[in-house]
Amino acid sequence: MSTEQAAQSCLAANDWICGEYLRTRSQELTDATVQHIWITVVSVLIGLAVAFPLALLARAKPKFAGPVLGLTTLLYTIPSLAMFSLLLPVFGLSAALVVTGLVLYSLTILVRNIMAGLDAVPEEAREAARGMGYGSGRLLWEVELPLALPTLMAGLRIATVSTIALTTVGALVGKGGLGNLIDDGVQTTFKAQVLAASVLCVLLAAVADLLLLGAQRLLTPWTRIRTAKGTG
Amino acid sequence: MGVVADAWTWLSTGSNWSGESGAWHRLGEHVYVSGVALLLACAIALPIALWLGHLGKGGALAVNISNAGRAIPVFAVLALFMLTPLRSAGYLPTIIALVLFAVPPLLTNAYVGMREVDRAVVEAARGMGMSGGQLFLRVELPLAHPLLMTGLRTAAVQVVATATIASMVGQGGLGRIITAGFNTYNTPQVVAGALLAALLALLVEGALVAADRLLDPRRKTARSVSSAASVKSLSSVKSV
């Protein structure tokens, strides 16, 4: 009973850390986290789906490389609050607005990393594959892409982590996931809510980064074998 | 598009530019806060990064700080500041948050720039009898210049962009025009504010690209080097 009272008084006292808050509002926190995750995942996946053909186009037709890189870099310069506001007349107050903004930002990192990864594929590897009779499609899928994967995955990690941080700004239109809780918390000076949502947001970024790192290790087993031999 | 026309009407109405919440005042706040933050960030990050780069120590630190920097949501940091006594300290919460976000790209790019200087060149300079100070000023710093400027550009654009977020927690700057428009359901004002903020960010980027070209100590010969540097800049990242 006394612990119950102590716990309740932490809400009344507006403490930064409050177990009672986490217990009574766990549903709210879960919902916000789920929204945060799906907005991030959808944005990064669409970003990849758009960035990949753009990078291939820029590589195949060098005259497109300048404009593609220039345009995506230009988009990156636009402040997120301004980006979401400029998309407002097109999408209204919707999750599509936030996702579109995040996709546009992710393009800069993804296009550059995909291009850098493909550029770094050794010419000998390409020649060898061509000599073995690989067509350009098979060359891309079976030789170039696997070799470009470490750079590509590095870009994917950067894009994902910064998208998770940027999603909070979506609170402007009420689709910010954990950002919504932060926004509410500031308006009502609710310390426990702001701290909990902020910490969850950073944790989410750390977990996503680790998961992608794990995926990269699973997808590129040969890089580990080579380093193991090299050191041993 | 009707909205763009309405936004233009908002922008060309003189009364929207004057007074405490007018565009001129907001622009002034934005430039002041961004400028102070960028100067402070340079004063903190550059001496440390250049010194560590000269010594060749602390590489893991420089890279890890940059990695951690991009995971932290600006909005959350500002929100946390606004619930502390800092809230009554004028522009201070925004300035501190902006410094926090400008330091990682400055630190990392300056450090990497120093470390990527060809070791053979450094050895040759030593062999010619250059002291540590001469080596730093005449060899390492000029060769690190392209990446140093990339870091400065990233930091400056990031600072100008972050300063718009300040309005979401009630601090000043151009973002206030946007959030004020949201609160009064005034979409033309929202779009007008967004156009101003985007334009300012693009202007800053453009001005720094021009400054970069003019200041490059090896501007005749360095084109190929700085294009390599621009590919490297993919490691510097937006967190706003």
Side-chain angles (χ1 to χ4, degrees):
Chain A
M1 186 63 201
S2 63
T3 54
E4 185 72 6
Q5 265 176 339
Q8 270 181 344
S9 70
C10 83
L11 269 182
N14 196 14
D15 287 337
W16 283 104
I17 298 168
C18 182
E20 182 66 13
Y21 165 74
L22 296 178
R23 246 171 296 148
T24 55
R25 308 283 188 94
S26 64
Q27 190 56 47
E28 217 174 274
L29 279 165
T30 313
D31 290 347
T33 309
V34 169
Q35 189 187 53
H36 209 108
I37 293 173
W38 80 253
I39 287 181
T40 304
V41 169
V42 170
S43 305
V44 173
L45 286 181
I46 298 178
L48 259 183
V50 178
F52 197 66
L54 275 180
L56 287 183
L57 177 75
R59 198 174 66 123
K61 301 245 180 344
K63 67 172 176 178
F64 284 114
V68 165
L69 283 177
L71 188 69
T72 51
T73 311
L74 193 73
L75 287 170
Y76 206 59
T77 312
I78 298 171
S80 52
L81 195 69
M83 179 77 96
F84 292 153
S85 307
L86 288 172
L87 294 170
L88 181 69
V90 186
F91 294 99
L93 297 174
S94 68
L97 179 153
V98 180
V99 168
T100 308
L102 294 173
V103 166
L104 291 176
Y105 286 134
S106 71
L107 288 183
T108 315
I109 303 158
L110 292 174
V111 169
R112 276 175 188 240
N113 275 274
I114 296 171
M115 283 177 72
L118 291 174
D119 277 348
V121 173
E123 195 53 42
E124 302 90 77
R126 276 198 200 99
E127 289 302 319
R130 280 199 200 98
M132 287 167 68
Y134 278 42
S136 60
R138 199 165 162 216
L139 177 71
L140 179 68
W141 282 109
E142 294 182 19
V143 178
E144 293 182 310
L145 257 181
L147 287 175
L149 211 57
T151 314
L152 198 154
M153 289 298 287
L156 192 62
R157 283 169 64 197
I158 299 174
T160 306
V161 167
S162 58
T163 300
I164 289 174
L166 267 170
T167 301
T168 54
V169 181
L172 179 73
V173 294
K175 305 284 178 193
L178 292 161
N180 291 351
L181 295 184
I182 298 173
D183 198 25
D184 282 351
V186 174
Q187 315 285 346
T188 56
T189 63
F190 190 172
K191 291 178 180 170
Q193 178 163 316
V194 173
L195 186 66
S198 304
V199 169
L200 266 176
C201 198
V202 174
L203 280 179
L204 212 55
V207 169
D209 199 41
L210 281 177
L211 283 178
L212 286 172
L213 185 66
Q216 181 185 340
R217 288 175 67 91
L218 281 178
L219 288 170
T220 57
W222 62 87
T223 55
R224 263 172 301 152
I225 293 166
R226 198 160 54 205
T227 51
K229 268 186 191 159
T231 53
Chain B
M1 287 226 313
V3 187
V4 175
D6 291 343
W8 178 250
T9 311
W10 190 95
L11 284 173
S12 52
T13 304
S15 60
N16 288 331
W17 288 78
S18 56
E20 267 290 286
S21 55
W24 284 124
H25 181 69
R26 294 303 182 204
L27 188 66
E29 284 177 325
H30 207 102
V31 171
Y32 167 76
V33 169
S34 308
V36 170
L38 192 63
L39 286 177
L40 278 174
C42 285
I44 295 168
L46 292 184
I48 298 175
L50 294 175
W51 180 241
L52 287 177
H54 180 67
L55 295 178
K57 285 178 185 156
L61 180 82
V63 173
N64 284 331
I65 283 181
S66 162
N67 282 339
R70 73 171 75 99
I72 297 169
V74 187
F75 176 42
V77 171
L78 269 170
L80 289 169
F81 282 163
M82 291 312 281
L83 298 181
T84 66
L86 273 177
R87 71 179 297 139
S88 48
Y91 298 128
L92 205 59
T94 311
I95 292 178
I96 298 176
L98 294 181
V99 169
L100 285 178
F101 290 100
V103 164
L106 284 170
L107 199 71
T108 308
N109 278 282
Y111 178 84
V112 172
M114 289 291 283
R115 292 317 298 160
E116 299 241 315
V117 172
D118 194 339
R119 287 298 106 192
V121 175
V122 173
E123 287 311 313
R126 260 193 233 286
M128 287 166 66
M130 278 198 186
S131 68
Q134 284 174 324
L135 183 70
F136 173 72
L137 280 177
R138 297 211 210 144
V139 178
E140 291 178 319
L141 203 55
L143 288 174
H145 178 269
L147 269 183
L148 201 78
M149 283 304 289
T150 303
L152 187 65
R153 243 168 65 193
T154 311
V157 173
Q158 195 157 306
V159 158
V160 170
T162 315
T164 52
I165 309 284
S167 69
M168 291 179 75
V169 296
Q171 291 266 293
L174 280 177
R176 274 297 271 277
I177 300 175
I178 299 173
T179 45
F182 258 102
N183 294 336
T184 54
Y185 300 100
N186 185 347
T187 307
Q189 182 181 336
V190 171
V191 175
L195 283 173
L196 284 177
L199 207 64
L200 183 67
L202 293 176
L203 269 177
V204 169
E205 169 88 1
L208 286 168
V209 169
D212 189 6
R213 298 247 161 99
L214 286 174
L215 291 175
D216 195 328
R218 303 172 310 142
R219 95 179 103 133
K220 288 285 189 295
T221 55
R223 281 304 110 208
S224 60
V225 177
S226 58
S227 68
S230 71
V231 172
K232 286 242 172 46
S233 71
L234 56 87
S235 62
S236 53
V237 171
K238 186 181 201 88
S239 57
V240 190

